[in-house]
Amino acid sequence: MVSVARLAGVSVSTVSHVINGTRHVEPETHRRVIEAIEKTKYRQDALARAMRRNRTDSIGLIVSDAGEPAFADMVHGVEEEVARLGLTLLLANSAEDPVRESRAVEALLERRVDGLIIARASGSSETVITTLREQGAPFVLMDRLEDLDVDQVAAENAGAANALVDHLVEQGHSRILLVAGDLKVPSLRERTDAFLEAVGRNALAAADQVIVEGPVAVAEAEAAVMEALSREPRPTAVIALSTVLAAGALRACRVLGLAIPRDIAFATFDGFAYSDLFEPHITTVRQPAFQIGVTAMRLLARRLEEPDSSPTVMRLESSIEYGSSTSSRFSNPE
Amino acid sequence: MVSVARLAGVSVSTVSHVINGTRHVEPETHRRVIEAIEKTKYRQDALARAMRRNRTDSIGLIVSDAGEPAFADMVHGVEEEVARLGLTLLLANSAEDPVRESRAVEALLERRVDGLIIARASGSSETVITTLREQGAPFVLMDRLEDLDVDQVAAENAGAANALVDHLVEQGHSRILLVAGDLKVPSLRERTDAFLEAVGRNALAAADQVIVEGPVAVAEAEAAVMEALSREPRPTAVIALSTVLAAGALRACRVLGLAIPRDIAFATFDGFAYSDLFEPHITTVRQPAFQIGVTAMRLLARRLEEPDSSPTVMRLESSIEYGSSTSSRFSNPE
DNA sequence: CTGAAAGCGCTTACAG
DNA sequence: CTGAAAGCGCTTACAG
């Protein structure tokens, strides 16, 4: 910068003002400075700049795995809104690991992102929230909501879970296996609670329902579902609460030689990419993942503008794609 | 930092040295400093630190879409190695858009990442490379290699494409539709060239082969394949060169009512997540994506340590998963 | 309309 | 073993 100033025969203040357009400078001087910038191949040092401005025009996004379809779409949504606002996105995966999540938060905070969007990891400790608050960092919670007075956005889980159970009951099922996974994850907990409520509302025998709680990875889900489906009387329908759990459960069905829907009905939340192209067509609850991402970024933008506005919690409606996997007519209703 | 120093009754230099363990300090003094740090809830300012050190211990990774299965795995590989090295990863999607790619490079460079790993976007302009070189930023090219004297790593594409054609010929096919996509993408170009070579080697009539060039998005691929499969004589086998192209091609087959493999054989590169769980089982070339990510980070780490070592270009072997989609026996060979 | 100078929060020779 | 001070590359009152 000083060499630019020298070459243009002006002060560094003037160079700074030319670059940032922050005060008027004579056209002629302006031209000389621009020229000098090009000649010296000068690039602004964002670090030094951020240090003075206390802003970086960048925001951080942490999800457990941007490779999972639902998160991938949320990321796309955030990206779209970020681009529209002229900001930069720094993305990090926590791999569902609280330690990596904390590290990512620290790293992003250290890099002075202006705000953070977080889909918290399962065992995520409260210190993450505490850290954020202590630092006074604006943030919004995405997908996995807590009972906290902060900005949050996620899919409306309860209604979809209810509708799914109603659908299965209509198809004549009364013994359902719920592959619930890690109930420390708020979204899974919500879906499970709604499932239980729907079971009661439909007057299904509580003792006939099986809930597989705990598995996180595909292999764990497979093992747990194998076990659950080996007991008598066998459930006649499966609901998996996430893509990973569905993958494990499907693997278990295959190993046990259970055909879908002939031997067992199957439905899932989130589901698989391009699933319309493959058999079986699995009945799937789709959350408006892209829109959730967009909304998260909008909430954050508002928080940045009005730091003292009262927090908003938003729930976006999910929809259900019905497939042959839950059709008792053994045919594809599509 | 100055308030920590005051509270501990020492100089800021001592505080700095305690934090970084960069020189010996009396145990008693050390204790007082630590205490003061805790009492003041002091956090190091990474920006100021980076500014002085000229290092940030972070690296940048740009892919077109971390949501695509192959890239997702490469990202995971990079992440693993990054974690092992105690670094931080900043991830960005280019959405296959040269403008966004440039912006991401600028943003990461401005944030002073120590190095960059890039899977270049399709229309990626040469200025990206030029910028990187001008800045003297260490970088490695991943997945999409160029004829440049820089560190690079990707799957070995030619051998796999050759083997795939041989396989189809063995199954009796002689009219193949290659859904090649955007031939500006080096990996697709390599696969296409190898396809052509294999066609020649197997003495197939060049005029019987159809190459669909151009489509990038799913819908574009669908339209182009629809067209290609509507002409007579119809190809008896399809090879798609990427996940997205395969999705479009499968959609076209479905619209045309072509069953796989009964009416047409189908094979693809990269393929779908959890594809073993669904029908049809599509013959798929799997690149060692995770390992490619790991290797990219290793190459970068070496570059950081030895800036003047000569560049390495690495090719990692792909493998082929054979599925019923290319089985002329109409049965699942698994 | 422009410049000299303070200061952001650190690190690191230099001196003692 | 420790401190005073220069300097990293910027921005921004302050003065003219």
Side-chain angles (χ1 to χ4, degrees):
Chain A
M1 190 160 190
V2 58
S3 63
V4 171
R6 196 151 32 201
L7 195 84
V10 299
S11 72
V12 292
S13 345
T14 300
V15 174
S16 171
H17 284 119
V18 166
I19 291 168
N20 300 305
T22 117
R23 84 179 174 195
H24 187 84
V25 351
E26 279 296 271
E28 165 60 13
T29 317
H30 189 277
R31 201 192 48 68
R32 284 216 314 283
V33 172
I34 296 294
E35 208 165 80
I37 286 176
E38 273 161 16
K39 204 160 291 169
T40 44
K41 286 183 181 167
Y42 166 80
R43 329 189 89 226
Q44 185 161 235
D45 184 320
L47 253 48
R49 181 158 200 263
M51 185 160 143
R52 291 294 336 233
R53 289 178 66 221
N54 235 359
R55 286 206 51 173
T56 54
D57 295 326
S58 59
I59 76 121
L61 171 59
I62 305 174
V63 298
S64 64
D65 181 4
E68 285 298 321
F71 283 129
D73 283 344
M74 291 183 208
V75 170
H76 293 153
V78 173
E79 278 172 338
E80 168 150 308
E81 193 64 11
V82 157
R84 222 178 49 74
L85 295 170
L87 304 174
T88 303
L89 185 68
L90 301 178
L91 182 57
N93 286 346
S94 69
E96 211 70 90
D97 173 352
V99 175
R100 275 171 72 167
E101 179 181 62
S102 294
R103 267 202 220 125
V105 169
E106 302 273 342
L108 291 167
L109 245 32
E110 279 175 356
R111 275 160 192 78
R112 292 278 179 79
V113 290
D114 297 337
L116 276 164
I117 299 174
I118 309 183
R120 294 178 69 192
S122 151
S124 174
S125 80
E126 282 313 311
T127 48
V128 167
I129 302 286
T130 317
T131 306
L132 254 17
R133 285 191 157 149
E134 270 172 7
Q135 299 295 307
F139 67 97
V140 355
L141 262 28
M142 183 175 77
D143 181 60
R144 293 156 177 209
L145 307 197
E146 314 275 334
D147 193 11
L148 291 171
D149 195 30
V150 301
D151 293 307
Q152 314 197 48
V153 56
E156 196 282 300
N157 287 307
N162 263 288
L164 207 50
V165 173
D166 291 353
H167 170 65
L168 290 176
V169 170
E170 266 168 36
Q171 304 286 320
H173 297 282
S174 61
R175 292 199 311 277
I176 303 174
L177 170 62
L178 183 76
V179 191
D182 183 353
L183 292 184
K184 292 200 299 293
V185 177
S187 49
L188 304 185
R189 156 64 67 190
E190 289 166 13
R191 294 167 187 177
T192 301
D193 288 346
F195 167 81
L196 291 172
E197 191 238 290
V199 162
R201 189 166 38 68
N202 282 286
L204 302 183
D208 285 350
Q209 319 309 316
V210 184
I211 296 188
V212 168
E213 187 183 330
V216 171
V218 175
E220 292 162 16
E222 177 180 347
V225 171
M226 284 278 280
E227 227 257 88
L229 289 182
S230 305
R231 283 195 300 238
E232 292 295 339
R234 204 172 60 213
T236 60
V238 176
I239 298 179
L241 293 191
S242 78
T243 301
V244 166
L245 298 172
L250 286 172
R251 227 156 251 175
C253 290
R254 195 181 52 185
V255 172
L256 294 172
L258 299 173
I260 295 167
R262 196 193 61 207
D263 303 321
I264 195 158
F266 201 103
T268 186
F269 280 71
D270 299 348
F272 301 88
Y274 304 115
S275 55
D276 58 315
L277 296 172
F278 298 92
E279 295 290 340
H281 283 205
I282 293 179
T283 295
T284 302
V285 176
R286 295 279 177 198
Q287 44 178 323
F290 186 88
Q291 203 51 41
I292 287 173
V294 170
T295 306
M297 187 55 229
R298 287 196 184 144
L299 288 178
L300 183 57
R302 205 205 41 177
R303 174 69 39 213
L304 292 173
E305 272 181 19
E306 313 167 22
D308 298 321
S309 54
S310 60
T312 309
V313 177
M314 294 195 64
R315 289 286 184 172
L316 273 46
E317 210 67 33
S318 294
S319 58
I320 304 186
E321 285 170 17
Y322 293 97
S324 52
S325 72
T326 55
S327 161
S328 53
R329 283 157 286 134
F330 297 14
S331 68
N332 186 343
E334 288 192 349
Chain B
M1 190 160 190
V2 59
S3 64
V4 170
R6 195 152 31 201
L7 195 84
V10 299
S11 73
V12 293
S13 346
T14 301
V15 175
S16 172
H17 283 120
V18 166
I19 291 168
N20 300 305
T22 122
R23 84 178 172 197
H24 186 83
V25 354
E26 278 297 89
E28 165 59 15
T29 317
H30 190 277
R31 201 191 47 68
R32 283 214 316 282
V33 172
I34 295 294
E35 208 163 79
I37 287 175
E38 275 161 14
K39 205 159 291 170
T40 45
K41 286 184 179 166
Y42 166 79
R43 329 187 89 225
Q44 186 160 233
D45 184 321
L47 252 48
R49 181 158 201 262
M51 185 161 145
R52 289 294 337 234
R53 291 177 65 218
N54 234 0
R55 287 205 51 173
T56 55
D57 295 327
S58 58
I59 77 121
L61 171 59
I62 304 174
V63 299
S64 64
D65 181 3
E68 285 298 322
F71 284 128
D73 283 343
M74 291 183 208
V75 171
H76 293 152
V78 173
E79 279 173 336
E80 168 149 308
E81 194 64 10
V82 157
R84 222 179 50 75
L85 295 169
L87 304 173
T88 303
L89 185 68
L90 300 178
L91 182 57
N93 286 346
S94 69
E96 209 72 90
D97 173 352
V99 176
R100 275 171 71 167
E101 179 181 62
S102 294
R103 270 201 219 124
V105 170
E106 301 274 343
L108 291 168
L109 244 32
E110 279 177 357
R111 274 160 192 76
R112 291 283 178 75
V113 290
D114 297 337
L116 276 164
I117 299 174
I118 309 184
R120 292 178 71 192
S122 152
S124 174
S125 81
E126 282 312 312
T127 48
V128 167
I129 303 286
T130 317
T131 306
L132 253 17
R133 284 191 158 149
E134 271 173 7
Q135 298 295 308
F139 67 97
V140 355
L141 262 28
M142 183 176 76
D143 180 60
R144 293 157 177 206
L145 307 196
E146 314 276 335
D147 193 12
L148 293 171
D149 195 29
V150 301
D151 293 306
Q152 314 195 49
V153 56
E156 197 282 299
N157 286 307
N162 263 290
L164 207 49
V165 173
D166 291 353
H167 170 65
L168 289 176
V169 170
E170 267 168 36
Q171 304 285 320
H173 297 282
S174 61
R175 294 199 309 276
I176 303 175
L177 169 63
L178 183 76
V179 191
D182 182 354
L183 290 184
K184 293 200 300 293
V185 176
S187 48
L188 303 184
R189 157 63 66 192
E190 289 167 12
R191 293 166 188 179
T192 301
D193 289 346
F195 168 81
L196 291 171
E197 191 239 287
V199 162
R201 189 166 38 70
N202 283 287
L204 302 183
D208 286 349
Q209 319 309 317
V210 184
I211 295 188
V212 169
E213 187 182 330
V216 171
V218 175
E220 293 162 16
E222 177 180 348
V225 171
M226 284 278 280
E227 227 257 88
L229 288 183
S230 305
R231 283 194 301 236
E232 291 295 337
R234 202 173 62 214
T236 61
V238 176
I239 297 179
L241 292 191
S242 76
T243 301
V244 164
L245 297 171
L250 286 172
R251 225 157 253 175
C253 290
R254 196 181 51 184
V255 171
L256 295 172
L258 299 173
I260 296 166
R262 196 193 61 206
D263 303 320
I264 196 158
F266 201 104
T268 186
F269 281 70
D270 298 349
F272 301 88
Y274 304 115
S275 55
D276 58 315
L277 296 172
F278 298 92
E279 294 292 337
H281 283 204
I282 293 179
T283 294
T284 302
V285 176
R286 295 278 176 199
Q287 44 180 323
F290 186 89
Q291 203 51 40
I292 287 174
V294 169
T295 306
M297 186 56 230
R298 287 197 184 142
L299 288 178
L300 183 56
R302 204 204 43 176
R303 175 68 41 212
L304 292 173
E305 271 180 21
E306 313 168 22
D308 299 321
S309 54
S310 60
T312 309
V313 177
M314 294 195 64
R315 290 286 184 171
L316 272 45
E317 210 65 35
S318 294
S319 58
I320 303 185
E321 285 169 19
Y322 292 97
S324 52
S325 71
T326 55
S327 161
S328 53
R329 284 157 285 133
F330 297 14
S331 68
N332 186 342
E334 288 195 348

